[in-house]
Amino acid sequence: MNGSVPARVQGIYDEVLRRNRGETEFHQAVREVLESLAVVLDRHSEYSEMKTVERICEPERQIIFRVPWQDDRGEVQINRGFRVEFNSALGPYKGGLRFHPSVDLGIVKFLGFEQIFKNALTGMPIGGGKGGSDFDPKGRSDAEVMRFCQSFMTELYRHLGEYTDVPAGDIGVGTREIGYLFGQYKRITNRYESGVITGKGLGWGGALVRTEATGYGAVFFAEAMMQTAGESFDGRRVVVSGSGNVAVYAIEKVHQLGGTVVACSDSSGYVVDEKGIDLDVLKQVKEVERSRIDQYAERVGTARFVADGSIWDVPCEVAIPSATQNELGEDAARTLVQNGCRYVVEGANMPTTPDAVRVLREAGTAFAPGKAANAGGVATSALEMQQNASRDRWTFEHSETRLEEIMRGIHDRCHATAEEYGSPGDLVLGANVAGFLQVAEAVHAHGLI
Ligand code: NAP
């Protein structure tokens, strides 16, 4: 990473590096927050005296466990499960489960750390946590996924509870996996505790708009940024990376607001469709058939599939990276700038590398960090918990209106905080400072724990 950490927080960062060796994504996430916090510590000496930042950088609890299961051929498989319960100052730990071969403790800690501030920004009573496994659901049968989920929950259940820790989905964990996980929790505990997990199916405790929430929310956030500049999505050319839960619903909302998404991707490559991505085909390929993105180009005459190369080579005015961490690097950022991209809004968690953020910032491209822009998913999870607790069910329209209000509120808060702390327009600083202040106040109030 380029540049130096501000002297005010250098010692804290050095200690994080020493204690969490080799966890590069976690270092990256902590560093980005620390870079924003020097100005806060100048104004709040109590947070230095009580080592509030240092305490927030140390997870409250880290759970690592073995997940044995049997595949369809009868062979024994062993995966590793994680749950990092990072911070409960604002409420029960809340954050998704990721099933992907790249998952390790450092990835889970980076995601859990980001989640603390994201959840605080929503204004909802939820703490921060994250979990997952290095299990790869891709290519596995439903029966294999079910056996894995049952084994995973057989250990995890003892750490969960609607007032303790409430997981949800993330990469590789959708409604199918949430169903198997919830079923096993119910079976072991003999309790129909709907509020113990979110992202449930609509017929068994799920909430309308939860599926769409992260993608829709990121686009609402982008719309708020544009409106601040007197602009809108109407007629804009947009590129969205990924073709999973976040990407699909980001594309849907962009189209509803009058923009055109001309490219999307998965880990095998990307498709370009100048007429605009056909959502019915995309959903059929990715959600129903769980197939690869080249199948989209096979079925849509106006589309072409590109196996090698970067989706960020496709010219656009708005980029919404919605696949995975560090997918948009320095070279890609330069290409986006050269092609006239004006807005980069993170649908995924930390998809833009620090060097890429610097390039965008220097070029004057408006940039929204994931912890603010993709908070719509967890905010709607909190709405799902509310509905479960009150045995209520809200309409799609009501839930979507709440989501839009929440995203606009997060945007306005980040914007105002950036101004208040002397960096107008810097939504990274605004998000980090606003999220931190909310958590820090509660941490401070709870005493030295
Ligand atoms: P998902 O449904 O599993 O989709 C992930 C998408 O990203 C897939 O298209 C996947 O392609 C692609 N992808 C993953 N790793 C990749 C890589 N290394 N290179 C290129 N493409 C890759 O997951 P999701 O829920 O949409 O999550 C996407 C991002 O949003 C993650 O960063 C997640 O943490 C974040 N997020 C999700 C939520 C939520 O509510 N779901 C909320 C907040 C933030 P393949 O299928 O080929 O792997």
Side-chain angles (χ1 to χ4, degrees), residues 272-313:
V272 185
D273 187 348
E274 293 291 342
K275 274 183 70 183
I277 297 292
D278 183 325
L279 260 173
D280 290 339
V281 177
L282 185 67
K283 285 182 181 177
Q284 176 66 26
V285 168
K286 299 305 293 188
E287 293 184 345
V288 180
E289 297 169 20
R290 295 177 187 272
S291 194
R292 310 307 295 153
I293 198 72
D294 62 342
Q295 289 306 304
Y296 178 92
E298 292 285 319
R299 291 171 209 192
V300 178
T302 47
R304 66 189 161 87
F305 171 66
V306 183
D308 301 314
S310 165
I311 188 171
W312 308 117
D313 290 342

Side-chain angles (χ1 to χ4, degrees), residues 239-244 246-248 250-251 261 263-266 270 311-312 319-324 327-328 348 351:
V239 168
V240 177
S241 64
S243 51
V246 179
V248 164
I251 296 170
V261 177
C264 65
S265 63
D266 66 15
Y270 65 92
I311 188 171
W312 308 117
I320 310 183
S322 304
T324 193
E327 55 160 310
L328 198 169

Side-chain angles (χ1 to χ4, degrees), residues 63-68 81 149-160 184 188:
I63 302 148
I64 303 180
F65 51 99
R66 181 175 64 208
V67 190
C149 288
Q150 290 176 340
S151 181
F152 184 84
M153 186 52 92
T154 299
E155 172 57 34
L156 188 65
Y157 87 94
R158 68 188 84 248
H159 306 289
L160 306 184
Q184 185 72 351
I188 295 172

Side-chain angles (χ1 to χ4, degrees), residues 203-215:
W204 41 279
L208 287 163
V209 184
R210 176 60 191 91
T211 304
E212 295 83 356
T214 310

Side-chain angles (χ1 to χ4, degrees), residues 99-121:
F99 292 168
H100 192 273
S102 64
V103 167
D104 60 20
L105 185 59
I107 298 258
V108 177
K109 277 162 73 176
F110 120 63
L111 291 164
F113 185 73
E114 292 273 294
Q115 198 82 44
I116 302 170
F117 307 101
K118 178 187 312 195
N119 293 4
L121 285 170

Side-chain angles (χ1 to χ4, degrees), residues 1 59 62 64 74 109 115 121 138 154 160 164 180 187 206 231 243 257 264 267 329 436:
M1 255 174 274
Q62 306 181 54
I64 303 180
K109 277 162 73 176
Q115 198 82 44
L121 285 170
K138 226 176 281 162
T154 299
L160 306 184
T164 309
Y180 296 146
R187 184 184 189 194
E231 299 176 0
S243 51
L257 295 180
C264 65
S267 56
F436 171 79

